[in-house]
Amino acid sequence: PGSRWAYREPADREEDSGWRLFAGDETDAESNNVANVRVVNVGWLLDRDRTLEAIVLSEPGTAFDRAGGAPAWSRASFPLLE
């Protein structure tokens, strides 16, 4: 599985699930560069990483990580967003 950090915030628009996934080693500059952002359907993500099934129905305001590349997601602190 490629993602190691995920959080769900309130959706920006109707078709937005609110999920934000990261590899876990991005710098702030990399995360804030739109060239590094990819918008995909949640179903597309689930097809590629079945472990997301464990967290995908979580409410906005939740966060999860896989420290050290662990196969299972663990609850994490929700990021403070500007």
Side-chain angles (χ1 to χ4, degrees):
S3 299
R4 293 188 349 194
W5 164 246
Y7 68 87
R8 189 173 191 185
E9 62 185 17
D12 290 335
R13 51 194 183 282
E14 186 176 332
E15 65 276 8
D16 180 13
S17 69
W19 279 107
R20 310 297 185 249
L21 284 84
F22 300 87
D25 58 358
E26 300 89 348
T27 65
D28 285 343
E30 289 170 327
S31 294
N32 292 326
N33 182 340
V34 297
N36 296 327
V37 174
R38 183 173 183 185
V39 177
V40 298
N41 180 285
V42 171
W44 184 90
L45 290 169
L46 290 170
D47 286 345
R48 283 147 185 80
D49 184 350
R50 301 308 280 179
T51 69
L52 292 169
E53 289 176 351
I55 66 170
V56 74
L57 296 178
S58 299
E59 295 293 322
T62 55
F64 301 87
D65 68 9
R66 294 195 278 200
W73 291 95
S74 298
R75 196 68 174 259
S77 298
F78 190 76
L80 296 176
L81 303 173
E82 298 175 6

